């Protein structure tokens, strides 16, 4: 049974309840002195506590999509990573599966849109990673057969799963509803996680001697998607959205590559790449690379990028609230870079908060992109 299976969660809850009942039932018998009775009491308490933590952890994982499988949880994932494509004749993008949009009234693509699971291999970086692509109904309708569409890359946090963007954060369903209501134009969404070299958190950095993650998102991904789908190729056709780590990546990529990403939205983002056990040594002593990854430094020392940024936070519940207000003021001082914000009265660093911000974010993004 998989880590995200409802049966696993139900089993953990049943075992936890059974241990709790067993502890209450057996406690009088184990109330005597002696190492066996003491060991029995300790064993029952520890077992009950462990199963309670396991049940809560499994429930939290299902709600927030931290880990997709047991291998992902224990750092043993092997089906994704940084690889070298030894088959020059193969394309950089392959569609491996299709599915209907959750909540769509029809399974027909021209009426309900379609979600395609794809595999991408970067031509220059050789990074291989999966993604989901949402295609709006208009993409399949005859009257739009020659039309190109704007596209937005959507990134999870770390570790995150791309599927959570579809099933938990409801990006495709939200985009379809907003377009139907006339609040945004039909857009292609490329949904993936920024962790393209799992289990390492690369923070969308071109790591010396390691994964060239920034180049992958700034060049390889855009080239692969544009070569396969009818995406606008002129400046102003691409935007990027992310939450948490993905939000930091979205802001950085829009600032570093405004000629590619004309708009970047960071939901609950931070503004400087951390260094911790999940990232390892990202910069290998390269001071310039370290400085470029610091958005505060970038705003102060580099020419202001001609791009639009959106940041979000909450007055209560988000640790980045003060930093976000400061970032807004820093961007406003550049005079060239545009800045918008979503500030909630309260909301934690979780899916429920981001679901409240996604409709406004997609509407904002749509107003800044063009498919032509």
């Amino acid at each position: 049974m998989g880590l995200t299976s409802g049966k696993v969660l139900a089993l953990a809850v049943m075992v936890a309840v059974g241990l709790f009942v067993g502890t209450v039932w057996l406690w009088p018998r184990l109330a005597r002195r002696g190492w066996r009775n003491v060991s029995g009491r300790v064993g029952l308490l520890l077992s009950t506590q462990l199963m309670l933590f396991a049940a809560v952890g499994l429930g939290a994982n299902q709600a927030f999509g931290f880990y997709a499988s047991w291998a992902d949880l224990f750092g043993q994932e092997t089906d994704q990573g940084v690889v070298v494509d030894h088959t020059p004749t193969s394309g950089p993008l392959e569609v491996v599966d299709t599915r209907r949009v959750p909540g769509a009234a029809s399974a027909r693509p021209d009426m309900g849109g379609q979600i395609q699971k794809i595999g991408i291999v970067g031509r220059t970086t050789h990074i291989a990673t999966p993604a989901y692509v949402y295609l709006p109904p208009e993409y399949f309708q005859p009257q739009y057969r020659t039309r190109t569409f704007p596209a937005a890359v959507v990134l999870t946090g770390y570790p995150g799963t791309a599927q959570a963007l579809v099933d938990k954060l409801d990006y495709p369903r939200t985009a379809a509803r907003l377009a139907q209501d006339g609040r945004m134009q039909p857009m292609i969404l490329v949904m993936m996680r920024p962790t393209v070299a799992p289990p390492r958190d690369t923070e969308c950095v071109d790591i010396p001697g390691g994964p060239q993650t920034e180049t992958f998102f700034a060049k390889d991904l855009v080239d692969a998607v544009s070569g396969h789908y009818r995406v606008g190729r002129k400046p102003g056709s691409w935007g990027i959205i992310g939450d948490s780590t993905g939000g930091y990546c979205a802001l950085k990529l829009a600032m570093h590559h405004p000629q590619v990403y004309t708009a970047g939205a960071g939901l609950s983002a931070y503004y400087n790449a951390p260094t911790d056990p999940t990232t390892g040594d990202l910069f290998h002593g390269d001071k310039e690379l370290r400085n470029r990854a610091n958005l505060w430094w970038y705003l102060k020392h580099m020419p202001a990028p001609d791009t639009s940024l959106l940041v979000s936070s909450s007055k209560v519940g988000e640790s980045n609230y003060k930093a976000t207000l400061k970032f807004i003021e820093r961007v406003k001082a550049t005079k060239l870079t545009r800045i918008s914000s979503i500030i909630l009265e309260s909301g934690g660093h979780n899916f429920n908060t981001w679901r409240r911000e996604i409709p406004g974010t997609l509407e904002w993004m749509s107003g800044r992109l063009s498919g032509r």
Side-chain angles (χ1 to χ4, degrees):
M1 291 185 288
L3 178 64
T4 59
S5 168
K7 294 180 179 179
V8 172
L9 177 59
L11 179 61
V13 172
M14 289 174 60
V15 172
V17 172
L19 283 169
F20 175 77
V21 173
T23 299
V24 174
W25 181 263
L26 294 173
W27 197 262
R29 300 183 187 182
L30 299 173
R32 303 170 187 171
R33 296 181 179 180
W35 68 269
R36 290 186 178 180
N37 292 322
V38 172
S39 298
R41 294 197 299 269
V42 171
L44 283 172
L45 287 173
L46 284 177
S47 299
T48 303
Q49 293 281 353
L50 286 173
M51 286 310 304
L52 284 172
F53 279 120
V56 171
L58 287 167
N61 188 64
Q62 282 205 11
F64 301 117
F66 296 125
Y67 299 97
S69 65
W70 295 107
D72 193 14
L73 174 64
F74 293 110
Q76 298 173 336
E77 188 178 58
T78 59
D79 61 339
Q80 301 173 22
V82 180
V83 302
V84 176
D85 180 18
H86 294 288
T87 311
T89 57
S90 66
L93 188 151
E94 179 184 3
V95 178
V96 297
D97 191 22
T98 61
R99 55 181 285 194
R100 68 184 295 174
V101 175
S106 173
R108 289 179 49 180
D110 61 337
M111 297 182 67
Q114 188 177 78
I115 296 171
Q116 297 185 350
K117 184 176 182 180
I118 63 172
I120 300 172
V121 178
R123 285 294 196 190
T124 60
T125 62
H126 307 298
I127 288 176
T129 188
Y132 289 93
V133 174
Y134 163 69
L135 300 171
E138 291 81 359
Y139 189 88
F140 301 95
Q141 295 170 2
Q143 63 268 37
Y144 295 102
R145 63 183 179 275
T146 60
R147 174 178 171 176
T148 57
F149 293 80
V153 177
V154 183
L155 301 177
T156 69
Y158 175 84
T161 64
Q163 188 169 337
L165 296 168
V166 178
D167 299 333
K168 304 292 185 181
L169 289 175
D170 296 327
Y171 269 96
R173 177 160 40 187
T174 304
R177 185 182 72 248
L178 291 173
Q180 187 176 17
D181 293 344
R183 293 172 55 188
M184 66 173 280
Q185 61 180 314
M187 287 171 47
I188 294 173
L189 303 180
V190 185
M191 298 165 286
M192 57 196 304
R193 61 183 189 172
T195 313
V196 295
R200 187 176 189 182
D201 176 11
T202 58
E203 294 289 326
C204 300
V205 169
D206 280 350
I207 302 173
Q212 302 296 287
T213 315
E214 181 169 347
T215 298
F216 172 80
F217 283 111
K219 178 173 174 54
D220 285 351
L221 175 63
V222 174
D223 288 348
V225 173
S226 299
H228 188 88
Y229 298 103
R230 299 198 311 275
V231 178
R233 294 178 177 271
K234 294 182 179 180
S237 299
W238 282 84
I240 185 167
I241 304 168
D243 59 71
S244 192
T245 298
Y248 161 74
C249 287
L251 296 175
K252 180 173 69 174
L253 286 162
M255 292 172 65
H256 287 188
H257 307 277
Q259 73 282 5
V260 178
Y261 294 112
T262 195
L267 309 184
S268 304
Y270 46 86
Y271 307 102
N272 189 19
T275 299
D276 56 36
T278 66
T279 65
D281 187 354
L282 294 173
F283 309 110
H284 293 268
D286 189 326
K287 185 177 180 181
E288 181 181 355
L289 188 62
R290 182 186 298 275
N291 286 338
R292 280 177 53 83
N294 185 330
L295 303 189
W296 303 108
W297 182 93
Y298 199 87
L299 285 171
K300 184 176 181 180
H301 296 91
M302 300 297 290
D306 185 9
T307 190
S308 296
L309 304 177
L310 170 70
V311 292
S312 81
S313 188
S314 302
K315 295 180 181 178
V316 178
E318 283 282 17
S319 61
N320 76 333
Y321 175 61
K322 291 183 179 180
T324 296
L325 296 183
K326 181 180 177 182
F327 185 79
I328 291 170
E329 293 304 314
R330 286 278 185 93
V331 174
K332 287 168 60 177
T334 68
K335 306 300 183 182
L336 179 61
T337 307
R338 282 80 61 194
I339 185 73
S340 303
S341 66
I342 298 175
I343 304 296
L344 302 178
E345 289 298 320
S346 66
H349 198 78
N350 56 53
F351 280 11
N352 184 58
T353 296
W354 299 327
R355 278 192 292 264
R356 296 159 62 195
E357 298 168 343
I358 287 170
T361 300
L362 286 173
E363 191 173 352
W364 174 88
M365 181 66 70
S366 170
R368 283 151 183 81
L369 301 183
S370 171
R372 296 293 180 180

